[in-house]
Amino acid sequence: MAEQKNGQAQDVNQLLKVRREKLQELQESGKDPFAITKYDVTHHSMDIKEDFEALEGKSVAVAGRMMFKRVMGKASFCNIQDLKGNIQVYVARDSIGEDSYKDFKKYDVGDILGIAGEVFKTKTGEISVHASSVALLSKSLQILPEKFHGLTDTDTRYRQRYVDLIMNQEVKETFIKRSKVLSSIRRYLDEQGFMEVETPMLVSNAGGAAARPFETHFNALNEDFKLRISLELYLKRLIVGGLERVYEIGRVFRNEGLDTRHNPEFTLMELYQAYTDYHGMMDLTENLYRYVAKEVTGSEIITYGEHTMDLSKPFERITMVDAVKKYANVDFNEIHSTEEAKKLADEHHIEYEDRHEKGDILNLFFEEYVEEHLIQPIFIIDHPIEISPLTKKKPENPEYVERFEFFMNGWEMANAYSELNDPIDQRERFEAQEKLLAAGDEEANHTDEDFLNALCIGMPPTGGIGFGIDRMVMMMTDSAAIRDVLCFPTMKTLGKENQ
């Protein structure tokens, strides 16, 4: 087996050597492909196929990577892959000239070519381009994976996404759809009068979420900074400043684990709207999800794995207490103290920490018994105050807050509040968070004095929401893992995988 592997390595090395020799020969003959600066493309492959009747017999120019070549004496066929698909090209010596044809026969699979020629249909009915000229635009010095087996190793696919995109058309479609998700979100919010803004990534106080931040040092100021974990607190400052509808789509960074739904850097969209509450945010979420699904998939019915989710119907709304009562048969309206809640957790074998209070225990019951059942679009509303430090209390029941989480497929897809705008209440919440920090909770928030000052200036009643864009893309593309929808997911450096 070792001899076989060594033999394969020698064969590959020989092929790589041949490619470099071909490049050297081209350069020495004044045909260096890397000296070419542009090529005027008139059509993509699918444009030609979809508009064949109008283009038949017309001249076109396409460019892309040669994925297949079959040389047959004085005429050859090759297949060119571009952004939108692939198209067959007929290359004849008499059409492109003897010298050009001699060069073409030496080109390798993986080379990038520019093809000018006439659109026609072969005897077998395949729409093709009859080349009148072939230009080598870039020489591939590496060997692509074998065509019929493709690139299947998951680790290599994520590390070499550029090869993955070449070999797996469905991967390219996923990232095209990701772009459509983002553009359709922007289009919808722009039409609703929202303004897109940008806020700092490097911050002295990373707040707005329960997460452990990444830390760094800024040499010029000789000061420690953090990468943001949320977009919230700066966007709220803009609401204070009078920008009534703002949103941001941007990367946030959380120093936590990797799994199928978590990556330490991910794309978050947060928006804030003055003079509305969490009910307004529910309406916006429902309408936005329908709009994006229709734009990206062409339907308000989404299939993910074994589940089919219907976005066309009104989304269900249920309190966290009622959801736990429904699925765990436990009524937290009858639980009046933290001691009672912990006793209940013990009876149900739910682990908790000493610092946890009644509301924290309710949330643990929700995670244990409820989340997996939330397949169809649903809003879980009215969370306990203990897990919602930036949210306005329910006036009729101050143990709970005006907050919802939006679920589909058993996943949390969005988180929204009637935003807390009382600076005195907010300071008390920050003080409670500081106590948690002192007790060892690395995800608790620090007090943000400048944000408190902004609230003292005065923030109007405001609704806010955060969307996990990557999970939304997963749902719209039926992708199994978050890494499948990130062009370049976080990976351990090669050579350090086992450290």
Side-chain angles (χ1 to χ4, degrees):
M1 182 63 73
E3 290 181 4
Q4 183 179 352
K5 286 185 177 180
N6 289 335
Q8 289 174 344
Q10 288 174 1
D11 290 343
V12 169
N13 290 335
Q14 182 60 33
L15 290 171
L16 295 175
K17 181 183 177 186
V18 168
R19 290 196 177 207
R20 290 183 180 271
E21 289 172 350
K22 288 180 179 180
L23 173 63
Q24 184 177 354
E25 184 181 327
L26 286 165
Q27 291 170 330
E28 289 173 352
S29 61
K31 299 176 182 177
D32 185 358
F34 300 127
I36 296 175
T37 58
K38 61 174 293 190
Y39 188 83
D40 293 325
V41 176
T42 63
H43 295 79
H44 281 93
S45 55
M46 291 307 296
D47 300 333
I48 295 170
K49 292 179 178 180
E50 291 172 359
D51 202 20
F52 172 72
E53 291 185 5
L55 290 173
E56 185 178 14
K58 303 286 179 61
S59 294
V60 296
V62 298
R65 192 176 301 275
M66 183 166 65
M67 300 299 291
F68 168 81
K69 184 177 75 167
R70 185 170 79 248
V71 176
M72 305 179 301
K74 299 178 181 179
S76 301
F77 284 96
C78 69
N79 187 283
I80 297 296
Q81 177 176 293
D82 60 18
L83 172 68
K84 297 185 178 181
N86 59 77
I87 193 163
Q88 179 174 271
V89 178
Y90 175 67
V91 183
R93 185 189 67 181
D94 293 344
S95 298
I96 68 170
E98 189 168 343
D99 289 342
S100 291
Y101 190 66
K102 188 183 297 183
D103 289 338
F104 171 78
K105 288 195 294 183
K106 294 180 181 178
Y107 297 160
D108 294 301
V109 167
D111 289 350
I112 296 175
L113 307 180
I115 308 285
E118 190 175 288
V119 177
F120 78 109
K121 188 178 287 187
T122 65
K123 293 178 180 179
T124 58
E126 184 166 358
I127 295 170
S128 307
V129 175
H130 187 155
S132 56
S133 68
V134 177
L136 178 62
L137 306 179
S138 181
K139 181 68 185 169
S140 176
L141 300 178
Q142 187 56 272
I143 299 168
L144 292 176
E146 194 271 324
K147 178 183 176 185
F148 294 102
H149 295 96
L151 181 63
T152 56
D153 178 72
T154 302
D155 189 76
T156 305
R157 285 182 52 225
Y158 295 148
R159 291 185 186 279
Q160 299 184 19
R161 183 67 84 187
Y162 42 92
V163 181
D164 191 24
L165 289 165
I166 293 168
M167 301 307 300
N168 297 315
Q169 181 63 29
E170 69 276 8
V171 173
K172 187 182 290 184
E173 290 298 324
T174 293
F175 289 109
I176 290 172
K177 283 187 176 179
R178 182 186 175 100
S179 178
K180 288 181 178 178
V181 167
L182 292 168
S183 61
S184 60
I185 289 172
R186 287 187 166 99
R187 191 157 48 249
Y188 179 82
L189 292 177
D190 292 348
E191 290 171 358
Q192 300 300 312
F194 282 85
M195 182 172 120
E196 185 173 11
V197 297
E198 294 170 303
T199 61
M201 289 189 183
L202 276 176
V203 295
S204 57
N205 187 352
R212 183 181 178 183
F214 287 93
E215 298 183 6
T216 188
H217 186 76
F218 185 15
N219 292 335
L221 296 180
N222 191 26
E223 187 176 341
D224 290 336
F225 277 76
K226 299 177 178 68
L227 291 174
R228 66 185 180 187
I229 60 173
S230 166
L231 312 174
E232 179 168 347
L233 300 186
Y234 281 98
L235 290 176
K236 285 182 176 177
R237 287 169 167 89
L238 297 178
I239 294 290
V240 170
L243 303 181
E244 294 181 0
R245 298 188 180 201
V246 294
Y247 76 96
E248 181 174 7
I249 298 174
R251 282 291 220 229
V252 297
F253 309 86
R254 299 182 182 180
N255 198 350
E256 52 194 26
L258 292 161
D259 61 33
T260 56
R261 281 184 278 162
H262 293 89
N263 194 71
E265 59 170 312
F266 61 98
T267 302
L268 185 64
M269 190 273 284
E270 290 196 34
L271 66 84
Y272 293 85
Q273 179 179 342
Y275 311 113
T276 191
D277 62 3
Y278 74 143
H279 293 290
M281 291 295 99
M282 283 186 242
D283 294 339
L284 184 147
T285 300
E286 196 165 328
N287 293 331
L288 175 61
Y289 255 79
R290 286 196 191 108
Y291 181 90
V292 172
K294 196 73 180 291
E295 287 271 306
V296 175
T297 72
S299 172
E300 293 176 354
I301 309 296
I302 293 176
T303 299
Y304 185 89
E306 62 185 17
H307 296 135
T308 298
M309 289 149 282
D310 189 350
L311 301 179
S312 67
K313 299 175 182 176
F315 296 2
E316 185 181 354
R317 304 179 183 192
I318 183 173
T319 67
M320 182 178 282
V321 169
D322 286 343
V324 169
K325 184 178 179 180
K326 178 178 179 181
Y327 291 105
N329 199 28
V330 173
D331 188 354
F332 267 77
N333 286 324
E334 303 298 321
I335 306 300
H336 303 294
S337 69
T338 295
E339 289 69 27
E340 289 180 64
K342 287 184 175 179
K343 182 181 178 183
L344 197 64
D346 290 335
E347 292 171 358
H348 287 77
H349 308 291
I350 291 179
E351 295 183 4
Y352 57 86
E353 299 177 25
D354 288 341
R355 64 181 175 82
H356 282 154
E357 298 182 26
K358 174 188 167 184
D360 298 293
I361 305 295
L362 168 61
N363 188 53
L364 292 173
F365 268 85
F366 173 77
E367 292 174 350
E368 179 70 25
Y369 286 99
V370 180
E371 286 190 2
E372 63 182 307
H373 299 288
L374 307 180
I375 304 303
Q376 295 303 316
I378 185 171
F379 296 113
I380 301 296
I381 67 174
D382 300 350
H383 291 51
I385 192 170
E386 291 89 343
I387 62 169
S388 311
L390 298 165
T391 316
K392 187 169 285 193
K393 296 174 185 175
K394 291 183 68 64
E396 71 278 12
N397 190 353
E399 287 187 9
Y400 296 90
V401 296
E402 294 191 349
R403 173 185 174 187
F404 74 79
E405 290 175 297
F406 171 51
F407 280 83
M408 285 174 60
N409 193 52
W411 302 354
E412 178 201 335
M413 305 298 292
N415 185 24
Y417 311 151
S418 294
E419 301 297 336
L420 180 60
N421 61 344
D422 178 345
I424 298 171
D425 189 354
Q426 181 64 78
R427 181 173 289 281
E428 292 172 354
R429 309 273 190 101
F430 275 141
E431 288 172 354
Q433 290 285 298
E434 291 285 0
K435 290 177 181 177
L436 292 176
L437 271 172
D441 183 357
E442 294 180 328
E443 295 185 348
N445 285 200
H446 283 284
T447 301
D448 189 326
E449 292 292 347
D450 183 72
F451 177 65
L452 288 171
N453 184 61
L455 292 187
C456 286
I457 297 292
M459 186 174 86
T462 297
I465 190 165
F467 285 89
I469 296 296
D470 306 305
R471 289 188 189 180
M472 190 181 201
V473 176
M474 287 173 68
M475 199 73 69
M476 299 290 174
T477 59
D478 195 11
S479 296
I482 191 171
R483 291 181 174 189
D484 295 326
V485 300
L486 297 174
C487 287
F488 302 101
T490 304
M491 305 284 287
K492 190 150 191 173
T493 305
L494 278 172
K496 297 183 178 181
E497 298 94 326
N498 298 320
Q499 294 182 15

